[in-house]
Amino acid sequence: MAKITSLNDLRKIKDDLQEKIRLRENAESPESMAQIKVGMATSGIASGAKEIFNFLVEELDKRNVSAVVTQTGDMGYSYAEPTIEVTLPGQDPVVFGYVTVDKADEIIEKYIRNGELIEGIIPANYKTIDD
Amino acid sequence: MATFKYHLLICGGTGCKASDSDGIITSLNKEIKEKGLENDVKVVTTGCFGFCEKGPIVKVLPDNTFYTQVTPGDAAEIIQEHIIKGRKVERLLYTDPETENHIADSKHMGFYQKQIRIALRNCGFIDPENLDEAISRDAYMALGKALTEMTPQEVIDEIKKSGLRGRGGGGFPTGLKWEFASKNEADQKYVVCNADEGDPGAFMDRSILEGDPHTVLEAMAICGYTMGADKGLIYIRAEYPLAIKRLKIAIDQAREYGLLGKNILGTDFNFDIELRYGAGAFVCGEETALIHSMEGERGEPTFKPPFPAESGYNGKPTNVNNVETFASVPVILLKGADWFSSIGTEKSKGTKVFALAGKINNVGLIEVPMGTTLREVIFEIGGGIKDGKKFKAVQTGGPSGGCLTEKHLDTPIDFDNLIAEGSMMGSGGMIVMDEDDCMVSVAKFYLDFTVEESCGKCTPCRIGNKRLYEILDKITKGEGTMEDLDNLKNLSNVIKDTALCGLGQTSPNPVLSTLDNFWDEYVAHVTDKKCPAGACTDLMNYNIIEENCVGCTACARACPVNCITGERKMPHHIDQAACIKCGTCMEKCKFNAIELI
């Protein structure tokens, strides 16, 4: 590693390095950014959820979109796998079904970045025990 | 570079290492390799999470799952269940003691809810042996800001404005201390970090050095800039091998990056840091004794003035600050004095780190805003007293502090309030005592420590403390008189007034505060020859209740000194003169026929 010779250098290095711990920083304040849960039970994985999960993690990082991506169990929409649930800060969760790489791309660009609703939303049809 | 999907943070502090956190890391890495997840999961060793009671801790991110008391054998399950299948391992989650529900997320644990982490901001978050991770969390950014955008006086003013006071015990305003050192002209000046943490039961400084060493190095450089010093020394006790190792790594890394050394960040500021090892003498936490020890002399204090700011290490102007004080400095410069002073009480700003120990459920390291009450610390964060026993007292300030009781529980903790109540902040050790602790014995324990640690230079401390100890010993043996109690008080006050340094001036505090708060307990020892807590063995007698004794002979057979006699099926009898009060008979008796009186 070359010596750091100015404050600007240090700032630049910091910005580069921040990527490495972004995951940890985001986990500290999950309520302030989009949270994406990918349904990754057997049926989800069989329909390609793993690929979607990887795509989301890598692309969000590349595109500098702050979001927390976690995997979760079966959401119950087996007919529409892979499914993902996106919660934007301060909003109700929205579930997308039949997610492909293209669809995931659209979700990042339109819904997560701009809050624009797009096709493929599965309406919530249950209450949780907290409701 | 691979984008990791999971980070597994594992505590690498001394406490968790002792419970084999290294073994957990090895088996996690092995599992990850076997399952081919090397590019998905990153294992990071961090500093202390503070929740030592439930260690070793493994934290899984991004979903913030907090696993407690993990063993190397659990690694396979964590990888298989949590990482591959996305199911949390329920049995390793923290259980809320009140609701008995599993809590997955550390944010919802009572232990963390009241805390604000400033000095500990990176402990348990970054890998302390990796400068890159520290930089990504703003390490050396405050130094950069100071060097390029602020004059030394502006930095001092900012620290003064923040209201930061020395965290080592005295509570002297840090900015003022820096200003004194900056005003004294000399060809060479020194910045010294006091890492000689000596209070029994305290481990705040060790945890900061083990968890985030760069923050201390950075703050020392900032201090060097304000006072015109190019040399820093860290006085650390040799009993802290892990902290020493991590400091050495940190210093090497900082030098390699040019963050220590010549022309730091392209400015004409030079600063380098060396370590000095202490042999673990309590008095060396006193700054003049510390300086003498670093010079190779005996670790004995000298009279102030002259203060180290004028004539310190090698007779040159020296500024000595404690580890935790330094750890707060970079954040103040980055977030501003106003932000810092918005936290805390009127005269004590910011947060304070405490090491919780003793009869408390959540033994560990916590950081709370000044002004938090003892009740919040002990019952909400600390989870209350072990085994449902009754709270009796909390000892703050180590051997220099005093005991606080039930009636002080709602006192907001800050420097001045604790002194007003007859204790002190000290470096932040908090030892919690329950109904089974005898306060006379507690005072005796601390005096025993002070007698051992007194350097012997001044008479009040060398001889006075020894006499205090002897009187206390006499009382716990049931040989004390009311006159002894008067003598205790008078002698304590004389030592306080006449001892040379802080050690002697504060050493009678445990005696005075227990006399104040537990006078009845002293009187019981003296007049009734009884120890109400049942802790002083010399004042206790085991007695056989004749009505309950069936003469089974179990006690007589177990007694190691054969002092129990009696016919089979007849009540037995204990020969009090021969009894060694080991309590074996009471343990063996199945008929509740043995009592302690």
Side-chain angles (χ1 to χ4, degrees):
Chain A
M1 177 87 193
K3 294 214 176 215
I4 301 171
T5 51
S6 72
L7 181 55
N8 281 337
D9 272 7
L10 181 65
R11 285 200 179 117
K12 231 180 90 209
I13 290 169
K14 185 206 151 178
D15 290 340
D16 292 345
L17 291 171
Q18 205 151 22
E19 297 299 313
K20 285 195 192 172
I21 63 158
R22 159 100 54 80
L23 180 141
R24 263 177 266 168
E25 298 254 350
N26 289 355
E28 288 285 292
S29 51
E31 51 285 344
S32 67
M33 62 194 70
Q35 295 190 63
I36 308 174
K37 285 184 185 160
V38 183
M40 283 172 77
T42 308
S43 62
I45 294 173
S47 341
K50 186 112 197 159
E51 196 193 336
I52 303 302
F53 181 72
N54 290 345
F55 175 82
L56 286 170
V57 171
E58 278 152 28
E59 287 302 309
L60 288 166
D61 199 57
K62 269 190 214 154
R63 299 180 197 183
N64 249 327
V65 179
S66 299
V68 179
V69 187
T70 51
Q71 53 172 310
T72 184
D74 197 321
M75 290 193 226
Y77 312 103
S78 307
Y79 63 95
E81 294 289 3
T83 45
I84 69 173
E85 182 191 273
V86 183
T87 314
L88 296 183
Q91 295 191 22
D92 286 336
V94 173
V95 177
F96 296 91
Y98 303 108
V99 181
T100 58
V101 167
D102 287 345
K103 192 81 202 169
D105 177 66
E106 202 185 343
I107 293 169
I108 298 176
E109 289 306 317
K110 292 198 173 154
Y111 185 64
I112 297 177
R113 275 194 202 258
N114 301 324
E116 212 177 297
L117 290 176
I118 52 171
E119 269 185 48
I121 293 174
I122 302 175
N125 51 8
Y126 61 90
K127 284 189 172 176
T128 67
I129 52 168
D130 301 322
D131 283 336
Chain B
M1 185 190 89
T3 312
F4 294 105
K5 284 156 197 105
Y6 287 97
H7 287 194
L8 302 182
L9 307 189
I10 292 136
C11 176
T14 298
C16 285
K17 254 185 189 297
S19 354
D20 203 14
S21 64
D22 283 342
I24 301 169
I25 295 169
T26 314
S27 20
L28 280 173
N29 277 323
K30 191 169 142 263
E31 284 298 319
I32 289 167
K33 206 158 174 227
E34 271 174 19
K35 299 279 190 299
L37 298 168
E38 294 103 319
N39 292 326
D40 294 312
V41 184
K42 184 179 186 184
V43 177
V44 187
T45 316
T46 68
C48 186
F49 286 93
F51 203 32
C52 310
E53 176 74 19
K54 296 282 177 203
I57 307 288
V58 174
K59 196 169 175 182
V60 183
L61 299 177
D63 41 354
N64 229 337
T65 307
F66 198 87
Y67 289 129
T68 56
Q69 292 175 322
V70 181
T71 65
D74 298 326
E77 195 175 342
I78 293 178
I79 299 294
Q80 181 66 30
E81 284 294 308
H82 192 135
I83 305 296
I84 297 178
K85 295 190 181 154
R87 293 195 290 238
K88 288 177 180 160
V89 185
E90 288 279 331
R91 68 179 177 86
L92 295 174
L93 294 176
Y94 172 71
T95 313
D96 187 303
E98 278 177 27
T99 61
E100 299 203 341
N101 287 335
H102 288 308
I103 299 178
D105 181 348
S106 56
K107 279 204 154 51
H108 294 106
M109 287 162 51
F111 183 72
Y112 286 109
Q113 272 174 353
K114 294 240 163 189
Q115 298 196 45
I116 299 183
R117 300 194 139 207
I118 295 177
L120 298 177
R121 63 195 177 282
N122 288 334
C123 282
F125 193 86
I126 60 163
D127 178 351
E129 297 182 10
N130 185 333
L131 175 54
D132 286 352
E133 292 209 347
I135 288 179
S136 65
R137 293 277 284 182
D138 288 329
Y140 298 99
M141 220 40 100
L143 174 64
K145 183 178 174 189
L147 293 181
T148 53
E149 293 164 14
M150 300 169 88
T151 64
Q153 190 58 44
E154 279 168 357
V155 177
I156 290 173
D157 289 342
E158 193 74 7
I159 300 294
K160 271 164 79 176
K161 209 171 118 202
S162 75
L164 177 66
R165 294 169 67 172
R167 270 25 176 174
F172 192 80
T174 306
L176 214 54
K177 205 167 184 180
W178 289 17
E179 192 164 45
F180 291 148
S182 75
K183 295 235 163 97
N184 288 309
E185 297 292 329
D187 52 344
Q188 175 74 57
K189 296 181 179 181
Y190 296 96
V191 177
V192 173
C193 172
N194 181 351
D196 190 63
E197 186 172 46
D199 291 4
F203 50 93
M204 296 78 55
D205 295 348
R206 193 195 73 210
S207 297
I208 293 172
L209 293 171
E210 286 176 0
D212 190 14
H214 285 288
T215 192
V216 177
L217 305 184
E218 179 186 8
M220 288 177 71
I222 294 170
C223 175
Y225 172 67
T226 64
M227 61 185 274
D230 62 2
K231 203 149 179 58
L233 298 162
I234 301 177
Y235 185 82
I236 182 163
R237 40 180 54 211
E239 293 108 313
Y240 283 180
L242 186 63
I244 291 173
K245 179 183 152 218
R246 294 206 172 137
L247 271 174
K248 280 184 172 164
I249 294 172
I251 292 171
D252 285 345
Q253 286 172 342
R255 282 183 188 145
E256 196 187 318
Y257 277 43
L259 295 167
L260 285 177
K262 300 251 179 253
N263 301 103
I264 295 171
L265 296 174
T267 64
D268 55 6
F269 176 64
N270 308 323
F271 195 79
D272 207 356
I273 295 175
E274 282 176 29
L275 300 184
R276 289 285 186 275
Y277 305 120
F282 183 61
V283 73
C284 288
E286 199 281 337
E287 57 183 5
T288 59
L290 182 151
I291 288 166
H292 295 311
S293 170
M294 287 203 305
E295 289 166 339
E297 304 288 321
R298 286 182 70 148
E300 286 178 343
T302 41
F303 190 72
K304 295 190 279 193
F307 287 93
E310 205 180 310
S311 168
Y313 184 62
N314 290 338
K316 306 291 185 189
T318 304
N319 178 64
V320 185
N321 281 132
N322 157 272
V323 172
E324 194 189 328
T325 316
F326 276 128
S328 307
V329 165
V331 196
I332 294 174
L333 291 193
L334 288 178
K335 300 195 82 165
D338 293 332
W339 168 80
F340 189 79
S341 61
S342 71
I343 303 166
T345 62
E346 193 193 339
K347 290 198 174 136
S348 303
K349 300 300 186 187
T351 53
K352 178 76 191 83
V353 183
F354 291 100
L356 292 182
K359 309 277 179 67
I360 188 159
N361 277 317
N362 300 338
V363 168
L365 196 67
I366 62 159
E367 181 167 356
V368 290
M370 295 276 190
T372 306
T373 64
L374 281 168
R375 189 184 299 280
E376 287 172 303
V377 169
I378 295 168
F379 290 93
E380 292 181 33
I381 301 172
I385 310 299
K386 271 204 170 113
D387 303 326
K389 297 240 165 128
K390 199 169 168 299
F391 167 80
K392 183 167 188 181
V394 54
Q395 220 279 346
T396 68
S400 309
C403 288
L404 300 170
T405 63
E406 187 89 39
K407 66 173 190 251
H408 303 113
L409 276 179
D410 293 306
T411 307
I413 306 168
D414 72 5
F415 288 104
D416 310 291
N417 280 344
L418 288 185
I419 289 173
E421 303 289 1
S423 183
M424 64 184 277
M425 182 76 83
S427 57
M430 261 196 199
I431 299 175
V432 178
M433 284 164 263
D434 70 8
E435 52 194 309
D436 295 341
D437 289 305
C438 161
M439 301 319 284
V440 185
S441 303
V442 167
K444 190 173 108 175
F445 166 80
Y446 282 107
L447 259 295
D448 187 26
F449 180 84
T450 327
V451 168
E452 188 83 1
E453 294 290 345
S454 171
C455 74
K457 188 173 181 178
C458 73
T459 317
C461 181
R462 183 182 68 243
I463 299 175
N465 282 324
K466 182 84 183 160
R467 293 292 94 81
L468 279 183
Y469 175 81
E470 285 166 0
I471 300 174
L472 290 168
D473 191 48
K474 215 172 123 190
I475 297 172
T476 57
K477 290 203 163 84
E479 294 157 8
T481 60
M482 289 307 280
E483 200 191 342
D484 283 329
L485 297 187
D486 287 339
N487 286 341
L488 266 186
K489 201 159 207 166
N490 293 337
L491 183 55
S492 291
N493 287 324
V494 171
I495 297 172
K496 268 182 92 117
D497 292 342
T498 53
L500 174 65
C501 79
L503 192 156
Q505 287 157 12
T506 55
S507 59
N509 282 351
V511 180
L512 288 172
S513 81
T514 48
L515 277 173
D516 270 356
N517 293 313
F518 298 96
W519 175 252
D520 292 347
E521 206 167 317
Y522 274 90
V523 173
H525 279 77
V526 171
T527 55
D528 309 340
K529 310 292 177 202
K530 288 273 179 287
C531 173
C536 296
T537 47
D538 287 311
L539 298 181
M540 301 181 314
N541 285 319
Y542 287 92
N543 185 41
I544 294 176
I545 307 166
E546 292 201 0
E547 303 89 84
N548 292 359
C549 181
V550 298
C552 70
T553 75
C555 57
R557 277 180 282 132
C559 178
V561 289
N562 292 323
C563 71
I564 305 179
T565 49
E567 292 292 310
R568 280 177 68 87
K569 302 201 173 156
M570 295 294 280
H572 280 47
H573 174 74
I574 298 176
D575 175 5
Q576 298 297 347
C579 176
I580 57 166
K581 290 156 190 170
C582 64
T584 310
C585 51
M586 199 163 165
E587 277 168 34
K588 293 285 175 201
C589 182
K590 293 193 179 79
F591 305 95
N592 292 326
I594 298 182
E595 62 181 350
L596 192 60
I597 49 170

